[in-house]
Amino acid sequence: MKTLKAVRGMYDSYGLDSRLWGRLEQAYRQIMHRHAYDRLRSPIVEPVSLFARAIGEVTDVVEKEMYVFEDRGGEKLALRPEGTAGVVRAGIEQGLLYNQIQKFWYAGPMYRYERPQKGRNRQFHQMGAEVFGLNGPDVDVELIEMTAELWRELGIDQGVTLQLNTLGQSDERQAFRGQLVEFLNAIREQLDEDSQRRIDTNPLRVLDSKDPNTQALLAGAPRLSQFLGAESQAHFEHLQAGLTDAGIAFELNERLVRGLDYYNRTVFEWVTPHLGAQGTICGGGRYDGLVEQLGGKATPGVGFALGVERVLLLIEALEQIPADLGRDADVYMMAASESAEPRIRQMARTLRQQRPGLRVAVHHGAGSFKARMKKADRSGAEMLVLLGDDELDQNTVTLKPMRGQGEQMTVSQDNWIETGF
Ligand code: HAM
C-alpha cells in the first residue's frame, strides 16, 4: 500500500517547533491585547471573486497561486491566500466599518501554490492586524511599532530591518505608471522575460524584479517620489517622523511595491539577511481604496501580516530559542510507592494552581525505580519532586534538582512550594 503523506509544501508541527510557535502566538496575542485590538475570525474558504477583486487579477497570487475549486453546488471557492480580503469582506458584511474605527487582529493558515523551498510553503501561517477608519500616519506608526515590539520580545530585533516606501494616491501612481511604461518600453528587449510581460500587466512590479540585469537597467527609471502631491508627501514625512520618535530605524526603498494590488501610500516590509531568498518576515501597508472597491462605503484601512514559519526560522537562526522550550516539563513529580500516588497527584494540583507558569508532569505507569528515574531525567525537567513512604509518614517531600547546581532537600509538605519554586 502506498504510504500516506502530507501534501507537498504543507507541514506538521510538533515538539520544539510547536512549542516555539506557541510562544510566538502568546507574545503576539499579548501585544494585540495591550493595544486593544480585537480578534476577528473569518473563514478559510471564500468565493474566488473576493480575492480576484481585492488582490488584483494580474498579480502572481491570483493568476497562478490560488487553490481554487468548485463545491458540490458548483460555487467557485478558494482557500484564502492572505487575510486582508476576508477581514474587509467580513467588516462590510457585518456592518463594522462605516463611520467606525476598528482594530482587528487575526491568525491562521493561508494557501499559495508556490514552489516550495526554505521559508516558502504552500500552506503557511500568518498573524496579522488591520485598522479601519483612520487616515493619519500615526496609525501606520502604531502598527509598525507593535511589530517592532514583537521582534524585541522574541529576541530577533537585531536581525531585521524595516524597509519603507510610499505608493502615493491612485492618480499620482497613474501619472507615474504612464512614464514608467514609456521608459520600460524603450528598453523592453533588454529586460528579463517576466518583466517584459509585466510592462503590460503590472508595470510597477518590474521595479522589484529579482533579475540583477533588470535592476541595473532601472537605475535611470522615473521615480514615484517625483509624482507625489503635497498631501501624500506630508503623510509620508509624518510617518517617518513618528517612527523616528518611536525609536524605530528604517530604510527608504523606492523599489518596494509589494505583490498585492490594493496598496496606496504607506508600504513596508521587515526583512532579514539570515533566511536566504525568503527574507521578508512581515509586510503591510495602507489600502484606503479597498473597502469601497469591495462594495463598502469608502473607509481607509491599514495593516500588516507576518509569516509565522519565517519568524520561527529566524528565531532558530539567531539562536533565540528560550531554554525552557527544550524540555518536556519543568517539574517532574513522582510517587516512589503506590500508597503515595494519591498524595503526589494532590500536590501536583496545588503546585499548578500556585505556580501557573510551570509545566508540571506527574509520572504515570509502573516500572522499577531506576526506570522511573530514567523517564524523569528524559523529560528534561529542572526539578524532581519525590514522595515515598518515609516522606508520606513524616509529612515531608524530597526535592531533587536535576540539572546543574543545587542540593537535594527533604522539606515539610507545609511549605514545599515556597521552599522549592
Ligand atoms: P504578503 O507580503 O503577501 O502580505 O504576506 C505577508 C507575509 O506572509 C510575508 O512577508 C511572508 O513572511 C509570509 N508569506 C507569504 N507567502 C508565504 C509562503 N508561501 N510561505 C511562507 N510564508 C509566506 C499579505 O498577505 C498582506 N495581506 C499583508 C497585509 C495585511 N497588508 C495589509 N494588511
Side-chain angles (χ1 to χ4, degrees):
M1 217 193 297
K2 215 173 150 206
T3 45
L4 295 168
K5 277 186 163 181
V7 174
R8 185 164 130 82
M10 305 194 183
Y11 300 97
D12 306 308
S13 172
Y14 50 90
L16 185 58
D17 181 73
S18 170
R19 282 178 208 156
L20 194 58
W21 189 324
R23 198 55 70 88
L24 166 59
E25 245 164 18
Q26 207 175 12
Y28 189 76
R29 197 176 306 130
Q30 278 165 5
I31 287 175
M32 292 299 137
H33 175 79
R34 290 203 292 268
H35 289 80
Y37 283 55
D38 251 351
R39 182 164 191 173
L40 187 145
R41 292 180 173 87
S42 68
I44 290 172
V45 176
E46 298 269 6
V48 168
S49 54
L50 169 65
F51 301 113
R53 275 170 69 182
I55 298 170
E57 298 273 5
V58 288
T59 54
D60 283 352
V61 172
V62 169
E63 269 185 332
K64 29 183 202 203
E65 294 172 1
M66 275 210 291
Y67 281 86
V68 176
F69 60 99
E70 271 185 24
D71 71 7
R72 288 169 193 272
E75 196 180 348
K76 274 206 153 175
L77 305 176
L79 300 182
R80 64 181 181 195
E82 59 102 55
T84 310
V87 173
V88 172
R89 197 267 313 132
I92 297 170
E93 187 176 341
Q94 307 306 330
L96 304 172
L97 304 185
Y98 183 56
N99 256 343
Q100 298 170 68
I101 291 164
Q102 296 287 3
K103 297 181 168 185
F104 297 124
W105 70 273
Y106 56 90
M110 310 288 162
Y111 301 83
R112 294 182 195 177
Y113 193 81
E114 295 190 85
R115 197 167 47 77
Q117 64 180 84
K118 182 181 155 193
R120 190 164 70 196
N121 314 329
R122 288 181 174 172
Q123 175 182 275
F124 61 99
H125 296 74
Q126 287 186 346
M127 295 173 182
E130 316 287 352
V131 176
F132 297 94
L134 293 165
N135 264 315
D138 50 333
V139 192
D140 314 23
V141 174
E142 173 171 282
L143 286 161
I144 293 173
E145 214 179 334
M146 288 159 77
T147 54
E149 202 174 318
L150 182 64
W151 314 144
R152 250 195 329 274
E153 281 185 22
L154 298 172
I156 56 174
D157 51 321
Q158 298 301 316
V160 291
T161 49
L162 175 64
Q163 304 238 319
L164 198 63
N165 193 19
T166 180
L167 299 180
Q169 298 292 57
S170 86
D171 55 331
E172 296 157 356
R173 223 165 29 251
Q174 213 52 39
F176 166 64
R177 193 183 148 119
Q179 296 231 343
L180 181 65
V181 168
E182 213 170 281
F183 171 87
L184 293 173
N185 268 327
I187 54 168
R188 181 180 276 266
E189 300 310 317
Q190 302 166 61
L191 298 173
D192 63 281
E193 211 177 297
D194 238 12
S195 296
Q196 290 192 21
R197 197 173 51 83
R198 282 182 168 148
I199 297 178
D200 309 311
T201 56
N202 201 344
L204 263 66
R205 282 308 302 269
V206 178
L207 295 177
D208 71 357
S209 161
K210 299 281 179 290
D211 187 82
N213 183 45
T214 297
Q215 274 303 329
L217 289 165
L218 289 172
R223 304 165 71 145
L224 180 55
S225 55
Q226 298 160 337
F227 294 79
L228 295 180
E231 251 185 73
S232 289
Q233 232 155 28
H235 195 278
F236 196 40
E237 275 159 23
H238 285 128
L239 168 63
Q240 295 175 55
L243 289 172
T244 305
D245 202 43
I248 298 170
F250 55 86
E251 281 171 13
L252 296 179
N253 176 4
E254 279 212 57
R255 302 271 165 92
L256 180 68
V257 296
R258 311 268 306 129
L260 316 162
D261 275 357
Y262 48 62
Y263 294 107
N264 70 313
R265 289 197 169 152
T266 312
V267 286
F268 66 91
E269 286 185 356
W270 284 100
V271 298
T272 176
H274 300 283
L275 296 182
Q278 307 306 319
T280 306
I281 61 164
C282 175
R286 227 167 226 291
Y287 47 86
D288 296 327
L290 183 59
V291 175
E292 195 174 16
Q293 195 179 309
L294 294 182
K297 294 251 167 48
T299 307
V302 53
F304 70 81
L306 64 85
V308 169
E309 286 82 355
R310 290 187 193 174
V311 171
L312 297 184
L313 283 172
L314 185 57
I315 296 173
E316 281 165 43
L318 298 177
E319 299 180 2
Q320 294 297 320
I321 300 176
D324 65 309
L325 294 189
R327 44 182 188 256
D328 298 340
D330 301 317
V331 183
Y332 201 89
M333 304 196 50
M334 194 164 95
S337 70
E338 218 180 303
S339 47
E341 278 175 11
R343 179 77 189 124
I344 199 89
R345 281 197 292 270
Q346 199 179 25
M347 291 172 76
R349 261 173 235 130
T350 312
L351 181 59
R352 288 180 187 124
Q353 247 166 25
Q354 295 194 8
R355 300 284 186 272
L358 288 177
R359 290 176 299 160
V360 180
V362 174
H363 179 87
H364 298 290
S368 68
F369 186 70
K370 203 172 146 201
R372 290 168 180 229
M373 285 302 283
K374 221 175 185 172
K375 278 222 171 110
D377 186 49
R378 235 186 270 142
S379 77
E382 296 265 281
M383 181 72 95
L384 174 68
V385 178
L386 198 60
L387 192 70
D389 286 336
D390 287 351
E391 283 101 340
L392 206 55
D393 285 347
Q394 290 154 20
N395 194 41
T396 58
V397 62
T398 295
L399 307 177
K400 183 176 159 57
M402 306 274 280
R403 328 266 143 209
Q405 310 297 318
E407 293 288 311
Q408 175 171 326
M409 300 182 282
T410 297
V411 301
S412 163
Q413 282 185 27
D414 297 334
N415 61 357
W416 68 283
I417 295 182
E418 292 73 20
T419 314
F421 301 92

